[in-house]
């Protein structure tokens, strides 16, 4: 069994592990849903859905070690398959998958300090949950200022039709009431806190937010970008 004290991990490494496992679970419950559904035979023993760091997923029996090396996902997801509507069953599996992802991330983060744990959760919370992706629901964390795409007086964000828009006026009107909410936002690159005097830009792929200076994007340049991809997402897409 691996020792957690012998395997210290940074916030960035834990988040990378989280996103890879999350991507695997989302694939199982969306693109590969027919295959996943057929593998969850109620006649079989207790089955679990695993997402692996290499972005692959697996339906298999739970680990035999006691206690297991990592927190285990929900046990026996296959038993309820035929007793529920398909969409309801997939939603239930998605909710349990979110719980498992968080438990694994904070298992790895047991040695992080308070600020590092807060930064890790903020990075995770900036992504839609598996449940939100599977059900097509809009993330409930969206707030008036953030939903409009504003993080600072000159910040920009893509609209639904892919066009850029400036939200300076909107933010000026709502800044007072949303200042406390914005203050909890952390840069996906440096981890720094939100500052009303700085330009921020949001990634259209992972939905994290960044200081413009951290990703070398100016407000003027942002106006000409139809879909912004952060450095991490650009690298990931390039390898596929």
């Amino acid at each position: 069994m691996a020792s957690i004290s012998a395997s210290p991990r940074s916030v960035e490494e834990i988040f990378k592990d989280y996103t890879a496992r999350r991507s695997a679970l989302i694939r199982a419950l969306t693109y590969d849903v027919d295959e996943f559904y057929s593998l969850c035979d109620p006649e079989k023993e207790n089955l679990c859905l695993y997402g692996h760091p290499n972005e692959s997923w697996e339906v298999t029996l739970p680990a035999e070690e006691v206690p297991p090396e990592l927190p285990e996902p929900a046990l026996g997801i296959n038993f309820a398959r035929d007793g529920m509507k398909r969409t309801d069953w997939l939603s239930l599996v998605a909710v349990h998958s979110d719980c498992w992802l968080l438990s694994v991330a904070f298992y790895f983060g047991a040695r992080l300090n308070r600020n590092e744990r807060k930064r890790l959760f903020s990075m995770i919370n900036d992504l839609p949950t598996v449940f939100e992706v599977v059900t097509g629901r809009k993330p409930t964390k969206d707030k008036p200022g953030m939903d409009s795409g504003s993080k600072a007086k000159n910040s920009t964000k893509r609209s639904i039709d892919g066009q850029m828009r400036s939200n300076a006026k909107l933010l000026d009107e709502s800044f007072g009431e949303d200042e406390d909410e914005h203050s909890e936002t952390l840069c996906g690159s440096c981890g720094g806190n939100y500052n009303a005097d700085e330009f921020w830009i949001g990634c259209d792929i992972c939905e994290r937010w960044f200081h413009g200076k951290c990703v070398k994007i100016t407000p003027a340049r942002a106006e000409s970008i139809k879909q912004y991809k952060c450095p991490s997402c650009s690298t990931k897409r390039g390898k596929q």
Side-chain angles (χ1 to χ4, degrees), residues 25 28-29 36 47-51 57-59 73-74 77 93 97 100:
L25 296 177
L29 296 171
F36 167 69
L47 295 177
C48 300
L49 172 61
Y50 292 86
W57 59 271
E58 180 182 20
V59 173
I77 58 173
V93 175
S97 295
W100 177 67

Side-chain angles (χ1 to χ4, degrees), residues 24-165:
L25 296 177
I26 289 175
R27 184 178 297 110
L29 296 171
T30 55
Y31 300 110
D32 299 339
V33 66
D34 291 334
E35 180 185 356
F36 167 69
Y37 190 87
S38 65
L39 290 173
C40 293
D41 186 348
E43 299 300 320
K44 294 182 179 180
E45 297 183 48
N46 292 299
L47 295 177
C48 300
L49 172 61
Y50 292 86
H52 299 301
N54 64 357
E55 298 191 14
S56 65
W57 59 271
E58 180 182 20
V59 173
T60 188
L61 296 172
E64 296 183 358
E65 300 112 325
V66 178
E69 182 177 350
L70 292 175
E72 285 291 295
L75 180 67
I77 58 173
N78 52 312
F79 293 150
R81 191 195 72 175
D82 292 348
M84 302 175 64
K85 289 176 58 178
R86 175 166 163 148
T87 53
D88 291 342
W89 177 72
L90 290 173
S91 297
L92 180 63
V93 175
V95 170
H96 282 292
S97 295
D98 282 317
C99 294
W100 177 67
L101 286 171
L102 285 172
S103 66
V104 171
F106 281 85
Y107 172 85
F108 286 138
R111 297 290 184 261
L112 298 177
N113 62 39
R114 179 183 177 185
N115 289 334
E116 289 172 330
R117 289 195 305 272
K118 181 179 180 179
R119 183 156 67 93
L120 174 61
F121 181 76
S122 179
M123 293 168 72
I124 290 174
N125 201 42
D126 280 342
L127 295 175
T129 64
V130 176
F131 174 75
E132 287 169 340
V133 173
V134 170
T135 61
R137 298 191 181 190
K138 196 172 184 178
T140 56
K141 74 176 181 64
D142 287 352
K143 302 179 180 69
M146 292 186 183
D147 188 47
S148 66
S150 50
K151 285 281 176 113
K153 292 183 179 180
N154 296 317
S155 71
T156 53
K157 179 70 175 173
R158 269 64 50 208
S159 61
I160 294 175
D161 62 5
Q163 299 300 312
M164 300 291 294
R165 65 175 186 267

Side-chain angles (χ1 to χ4, degrees), residues 209-223:
W209 289 85
F210 301 84
H211 289 112
K213 63 183 180 182
C214 288
V215 290
K216 297 181 172 59
I217 299 292
T218 64
R221 183 181 174 189
E223 290 291 344

